[in-house]
Amino acid sequence: MTNPAPSILPGLRFRQRFPLLALILERFVLSLLLLFAVSILIFGGLEALPGDFATTYLGQSATPQAVANIRQDLGLNRPVTTRYVEWLGNAVQGDFGTSWASKNSVSEQIGKRLGNSLFLAGFAAIISVPLAVGLGMLSVHFRNRLPDKIINVISLAAISLPEFFIGYLLILFFAVKFGMATFPATVYDSMGFVERLKAIALPTATLVLVVLAHMMRMTRAAILSVMSSAYMETAELKGIGAFRAIVKHAAPNALAPIINVIALNLAYLVVGVVVVEVVFVYPGMGQYMVDAVTVRDMPVVQACGLIFAAVYIFLNMTADILAIIANPRLRHPR
């Protein structure tokens, strides 16, 4: 007599009993696989670039023997796969090696620079997120009227301009012509909190203008989509004020797409801060990476690229998970 075949696979049973946990674990595993693929692209892409640190460091007058000696000292004559496995294993433990140019620990340098970048991106997020959601609600409330049109025109103008151009305009008017802001946006460890805020005023304003329009327009579109629902018409027939209906009923039900677009823009704030840091000479991760690229300092470039990718993937994963939690149809898919 044979045992009856199991009616359901263990993995499928786990998904049926804990659907939310299964979706979160699925997103987490996919994010790890994506980060692994990105690490291969970063390492392989930098290896495929013509030239290397030795020739850049020694210049055009370098002899072949001198270039070969530096390549041997740096271990560049070993197989690519060996160096990749060693680099990834150390990176997982938080060790990104030593800078070829400065001979300093890359992890220590990134620790200082990453804090500056997160401070700038975080302060821009604190201003831009509530402002974008508020303007989106106002735009819906005054739909097709003058305030809505003004908000849309300004947002379209902000979307159309690249961040470096917005940054240079702000420098020209607020730092050069009127002397109201500081440039370059230099910060250092002994600087007070208020002084630091003054120093990052212009780069923060640039980042806010860049991400504000996108978040505001997506918030407006998500709330307008909900406003056409039958229950919103019922709420209005019950005599609830228009703005109260938007805040109390429409906005909570449009939360999933709003969270998604906010998380994506927060990811852009951290990753897209590279251009803004270079424009304002801000001592963050972006400036550090650009300086390293000019001298082909590969350990620094690889570390910055991997960290930027990890932050971007983590915020996208967080957006997915929050969207699942906020949307019952995603929590209980048929």
Side-chain angles (χ1 to χ4, degrees), residues 161-237:
L161 298 175
E163 55 262 49
F164 71 88
F165 187 70
I166 295 175
Y168 286 132
L169 283 180
L170 292 179
I171 292 170
L172 175 64
F173 286 103
F174 294 98
V176 177
K177 287 189 176 296
F178 303 117
M180 298 169 59
T182 304
F183 178 79
T186 304
V187 296
Y188 44 88
D189 293 339
S190 59
M191 182 180 274
F193 182 71
V194 176
E195 287 180 307
R196 191 176 284 254
L197 290 183
K198 289 180 180 176
I200 66 168
L202 289 184
T204 301
T206 305
L207 287 173
V208 168
L209 287 173
V210 170
V211 300
L212 179 69
H214 188 215
M215 286 194 289
M216 189 283 296
R217 290 182 67 81
M218 290 302 294
T219 302
R220 180 182 184 275
I223 294 177
L224 279 178
S225 175
V226 175
M227 291 293 286
S228 60
S229 304
Y231 66 87
M232 288 303 300
E233 295 177 2
T234 305
E236 291 179 2
L237 290 174

Side-chain angles (χ1 to χ4, degrees), residues 104-315:
N104 293 322
S105 167
V106 176
S107 301
E108 290 180 5
Q109 294 297 313
I110 284 181
K112 298 175 184 175
R113 300 285 189 137
L114 183 60
N116 290 338
S117 291
L118 291 179
F119 179 74
L120 176 59
F123 197 67
I126 289 172
I127 296 174
S128 59
V129 171
L131 191 59
V133 174
L135 286 175
M137 290 182 182
L138 277 178
S139 184
V140 172
H141 181 61
F142 294 104
R143 184 175 27 173
N144 297 329
R145 286 186 278 174
L146 184 61
D148 181 31
K149 292 176 181 176
I150 292 174
I151 292 172
N152 275 298
V153 168
I154 294 174
S155 66
L156 282 173
I159 286 176
S160 304
L161 298 175
E163 55 262 49
F164 71 88
F165 187 70
I166 295 175
Y168 286 132
L169 283 180
L170 292 179
I171 292 170
L172 175 64
F173 286 103
F174 294 98
V176 177
K177 287 189 176 296
F178 303 117
M180 298 169 59
T182 304
F183 178 79
T186 304
V187 296
Y188 44 88
D189 293 339
S190 59
M191 182 180 274
F193 182 71
V194 176
E195 287 180 307
R196 191 176 284 254
L197 290 183
K198 289 180 180 176
I200 66 168
L202 289 184
T204 301
T206 305
L207 287 173
V208 168
L209 287 173
V210 170
V211 300
L212 179 69
H214 188 215
M215 286 194 289
M216 189 283 296
R217 290 182 67 81
M218 290 302 294
T219 302
R220 180 182 184 275
I223 294 177
L224 279 178
S225 175
V226 175
M227 291 293 286
S228 60
S229 304
Y231 66 87
M232 288 303 300
E233 295 177 2
T234 305
E236 291 179 2
L237 290 174
K238 286 182 177 178
I240 297 178
F243 192 71
R244 188 182 171 194
I246 292 171
V247 174
K248 191 173 180 180
H249 298 286
N253 286 291
L255 204 56
I258 293 175
I259 288 174
N260 214 332
V261 73
I262 286 175
L264 289 174
N265 278 277
L266 291 181
Y268 175 79
L269 277 178
V270 177
V271 178
V273 79
V274 174
V275 176
V276 175
E277 286 183 0
V278 172
V279 169
F280 289 95
V281 201
Y282 183 76
M285 281 274 291
Q287 182 73 53
Y288 187 45
M289 187 173 74
V290 171
D291 291 343
V293 168
T294 58
V295 295
R296 304 297 299 273
D297 195 350
M298 291 308 160
V300 176
V301 180
Q302 290 164 347
C304 292
L306 189 65
I307 290 173
F308 280 137
V311 171
Y312 195 85
I313 292 171
F314 172 76
L315 287 173

Side-chain angles (χ1 to χ4, degrees), residues 43 45-60 62-78 80 83 100-101 292-299 301-302:
F43 197 91
L46 291 175
E47 286 292 326
L49 291 176
D52 59 15
F53 173 77
T55 53
T56 306
Y57 182 73
L58 295 174
Q60 296 181 350
T63 63
Q65 184 59 46
V67 173
N69 289 339
I70 288 189
R71 288 179 61 80
Q72 185 173 4
D73 290 342
L74 297 176
L76 296 176
N77 51 356
R78 292 184 300 159
V80 174
R83 286 187 283 124
W100 292 348
V293 168
T294 58
V295 295
R296 304 297 299 273
D297 195 350
M298 291 308 160
V301 180
Q302 290 164 347

